């Protein structure tokens, strides 16, 4: 295993581990429980689920894998806070989207070669990337994994 | 910036960012608020604070920087769940320990050379490390950063 492979494994192991923990929590909750708040007055489970789908869907374009599958989720789950949108998609439809998205995304992630992870992501310019080589594709997964951990800690509070 | 420096920056940037966010939240809470639960029936703020200090204190030995500063915090904040120990240390003493610990730990972290981060941490054997080079010092910071993100997501729920 060379240095690039080692670093890629460090980051992807965390990504897959946190996704697995989130899915275990998600599968343990009923659709009705997803309507509960993580804490009084705070976000509901269904909002966190939709938020994570929308943020991970946006990784497809940032990693140069293609186009987002569900751009319509950006408005209710990223631009808007919870309870600002009258009707959110159903829990059943979000569960299906979660599975479809991560099947596609992880298929692409697992097929990328180690050296490709250190290429620039699509949002940084070539000029900036030359000065800031840490703004690479692997760092997209790194930062999104920490974002997922943050919301996983909240999601498991749902009762 | 060579490849090792790039990888170290990716991980350490997240560590320092999450620590900064936690400290902002901590400084916004009174000692009385730290006694509140993150959600009804769940951990209290003071428990999460002590838990993070104990887990980060343990990084000193794992990163081969020396000995833990507060080994007495392992029993109440790692071995035991919240509310199992009759009397926890005061919020004031934990705030002081948080600062003292991270001043020392981050001083050591920031002085480590990039190539040293890819050496084995103290808990893995040389034989296992030869087969699993991702079990290096940088991965200790990587996994602890995700752990911190998880509890930060909970800590900011305190009202």
């Amino acid at each position: 295993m060379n240095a690039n492979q080692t670093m890629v494994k460090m980051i992807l192991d965390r990504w897959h581990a946190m996704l697995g923990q989130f899915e275990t929590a998600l599968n343990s909750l009923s659709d009705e429980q997803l309507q509960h708040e993580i804490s009084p007055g705070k976000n509901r489970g269904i909002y966190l689920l939709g938020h994570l789908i929308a943020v991970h869907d946006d990784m497809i374009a940032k990693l140069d894998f293609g186009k987002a599958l569900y751009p319509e989720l950006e408005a209710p789950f990223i631009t808007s806070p919870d309870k600002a949108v009258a009707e959110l998609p159903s829990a059943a439809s979000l569960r299906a989207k979660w599975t479809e998205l991560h099947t596609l995304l992880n298929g692409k992630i697992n097929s990328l070669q180690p050296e490709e992870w250190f290429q620039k992501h699509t949002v940084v310019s070539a000029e900036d990337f030359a000065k800031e080589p840490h703004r690479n594709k692997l760092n997209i997964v790194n930062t999104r994994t920490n974002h997922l951990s943050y919301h996983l800690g909240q999601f498991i509070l749902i009762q």
Side-chain angles (χ1 to χ4, degrees), chain A:
Chain A
M1 194 180 278
N2 67 33
N4 280 359
Q5 287 172 317
T6 296
M7 187 68 188
V8 170
K9 181 172 173 57
M10 286 165 57
I11 302 295
L12 296 192
D13 276 4
R14 277 302 89 199
W15 168 251
H16 291 301
M18 293 301 107
L19 278 182
Q21 287 188 34
F22 187 86
E23 287 170 4
T24 298
L26 178 60
N27 293 337
S28 77
L29 294 171
S30 67
D31 290 358
E32 192 275 322
Q33 285 176 300
L34 284 176
Q35 300 297 333
H36 298 183
E37 294 169 331
I38 55 176
S39 185
K42 305 292 183 178
N43 290 330
R44 290 172 297 168
I46 193 153
Y47 181 83
L48 288 187
L49 174 59
H51 177 66
L52 287 169
I53 293 170
V55 169
H56 294 179
D57 196 22
D58 181 58
M59 291 168 68
I60 295 176
K62 286 200 166 60
L63 293 172
D64 207 15
F65 290 156
K67 281 185 173 176
L69 298 182
Y70 321 113
E72 71 276 12
L73 298 186
E74 184 179 337
F77 291 115
I78 296 184
T79 315
S80 308
D82 192 17
K83 300 157 198 169
V85 174
E87 195 163 354
L88 292 180
S90 71
S93 80
L94 290 176
R95 287 181 198 270
K97 285 181 169 65
W98 174 277
T99 301
E100 184 184 22
L101 168 63
H102 290 96
T103 300
L104 179 141
L105 185 58
N106 285 329
K108 301 273 193 188
I109 280 175
N110 292 332
S111 69
L112 213 63
Q113 294 303 303
E115 58 275 17
E116 293 178 285
W117 281 110
F118 297 92
Q119 295 168 356
K120 80 176 198 68
H121 59 65
T122 60
V123 183
V124 65
S125 71
E127 292 72 26
D128 287 345
F129 184 65
K131 288 173 283 186
E132 302 179 307
H134 65 284
R135 299 174 70 179
N136 54 47
K137 290 178 179 174
L138 192 59
N139 213 25
I140 295 289
V141 180
N142 182 36
T143 54
R144 294 325 179 268
T145 301
N146 273 283
H147 174 263
L148 171 58
S149 297
Y150 180 97
H151 289 303
L152 172 63
Q154 300 173 330
F155 196 73
I156 55 98
L157 299 174
I158 298 169
Q159 289 174 317

